[in-house]
Amino acid sequence: ASPLDGVRRLVGYRKVAGTPFIAVAAADYGLLMRPFWRDMAVLATVTILACLGSLAAAWRTRQLLRVQDHQSAALHAALENNEFLLREVHHRVKNNLQLIASVVNLQMRQVSDPSAQRVLHSVQQRVLGLASVHRALYGEDRLARVRADRVIEELLARVTGIGATPGRSPDLRRQLTPLALDADRMVPLSFLLHEALTNALKHLGGNSTRGWIAVDLLHEPGAGADPDDHGSVVLRVRNPLASAAALEA
């Protein structure tokens, strides 16, 4: 501060060339620093506002994440509950179908007409085929799809075990590609397989020692460039005497 008026000043001096004089200049320190402090105040205000905005955004993001976590947990719980209910539906449908098959079996024992017994037996096998599809559905991780090869394997064991007679047991040849099909496609496919197997057993012929039945489950990829064309599933049932029967699903 100046001893004369107490004002703080910035003082600069320079010797004048070629003379014995020194040039002195002074300016009010507060007046010179006023723009600097004003800029610093603006910068500090902007920085504080930016920090407050970041904190508010972080708090809001955390709140949204919490809400999303709660919604995801609720959705997951609802999905698990729906899956449990759907599995229970398939389980009850399977039990009811097996009950119907048992009732048909009781009725079949009370009928003496061979043609009526054959009709009832065919109905019973169709009902059991449906039951096997529903049993496979509630046992799968994905309830909407079922492993076709496993259902076909079960149906083969049941139909050939019932249809075969002593001394007339066919050689069953399988080529089952592991495939998952929708239930809407698996149900009619099981019906078709039952009819084809029954027909193949019927036409084995008298020489049973050389009789065989071949069952092939194949996947044929799509031939075009359409990405939605996933190809087709082919179920083929053959025996040495009957003509080949190809069933497409």
Side-chain angles (χ1 to χ4, degrees), residues 159-177:
V159 174
T160 56
I162 296 176
T165 58
R168 192 180 178 183
S169 179
D171 177 19
L172 193 59
R173 304 173 184 179
R174 308 170 180 83
Q175 185 181 353
L176 305 178
T177 303

Side-chain angles (χ1 to χ4, degrees), residues 17-240:
T19 68
F21 300 106
I22 296 177
V24 179
D28 190 341
Y29 178 83
L31 184 63
L32 291 175
M33 295 298 294
R34 189 176 301 166
F36 170 77
W37 291 119
R38 182 175 62 249
D39 294 342
M40 290 298 296
V42 172
L43 180 61
T45 303
V46 172
T47 302
I48 293 173
L49 291 176
C51 292
L52 292 176
S54 300
L55 291 175
W59 178 81
R60 181 57 179 170
T61 302
R62 186 176 181 182
Q63 291 296 111
L64 291 176
L65 289 175
R66 286 181 177 177
V67 172
Q68 185 178 5
D69 290 341
H70 288 312
Q71 291 177 347
S72 298
L75 183 61
H76 183 69
L79 182 60
E80 286 186 346
N81 186 53
N82 289 339
E83 287 185 355
F84 172 78
L85 293 177
L86 188 55
R87 290 183 191 277
E88 185 66 20
V89 167
H90 286 305
H91 184 68
R92 290 178 181 270
V93 169
K94 185 266 298 182
N95 290 342
N96 291 335
L97 290 172
Q98 288 181 336
L99 179 60
I100 293 172
S102 299
V103 172
V104 173
N105 185 54
L106 291 175
Q107 186 66 32
M108 188 169 51
R109 293 180 180 179
Q110 298 176 4
V111 174
S112 58
D113 185 8
S115 61
Q117 287 183 346
R118 285 194 297 272
V119 172
L120 290 174
H121 177 73
S122 178
V123 172
Q124 182 191 37
Q125 291 304 306
R126 289 184 175 91
V127 172
L128 289 176
L130 276 175
S132 65
V133 173
H134 285 279
R135 178 168 55 251
L137 278 172
Y138 77 75
E140 291 288 339
D141 294 333
R142 298 178 60 186
L143 294 176
R145 297 174 69 83
V146 62
R147 281 284 296 272
D149 53 310
R150 295 175 182 172
V151 176
I152 291 175
E153 186 69 43
E154 180 181 348
L155 197 148
L156 288 175
R158 186 176 65 252
V159 174
T160 56
I162 296 176
T165 58
R168 192 180 178 183
S169 179
D171 177 19
L172 193 59
R173 304 173 184 179
R174 308 170 180 83
Q175 185 181 353
L176 305 178
T177 303
L179 292 174
L181 294 179
D182 297 335
D184 293 339
R185 302 174 70 186
M186 192 62 232
V187 170
L189 193 65
S190 64
F191 283 154
L192 292 174
L193 178 60
H194 175 267
E195 295 298 328
L197 280 176
T198 303
N199 187 62
L201 285 170
K202 187 186 302 182
H203 295 86
L204 274 178
N207 190 356
S208 60
T209 58
R210 292 183 298 175
W212 54 266
I213 296 177
V215 180
D216 302 327
L217 179 67
L218 307 171
H219 176 253
E220 295 183 350
D226 186 1
D228 295 330
D229 184 8
H230 301 294
S232 59
V233 176
V234 177
L235 177 66
R236 188 164 50 238
V237 180
R238 297 172 289 123
N239 66 8

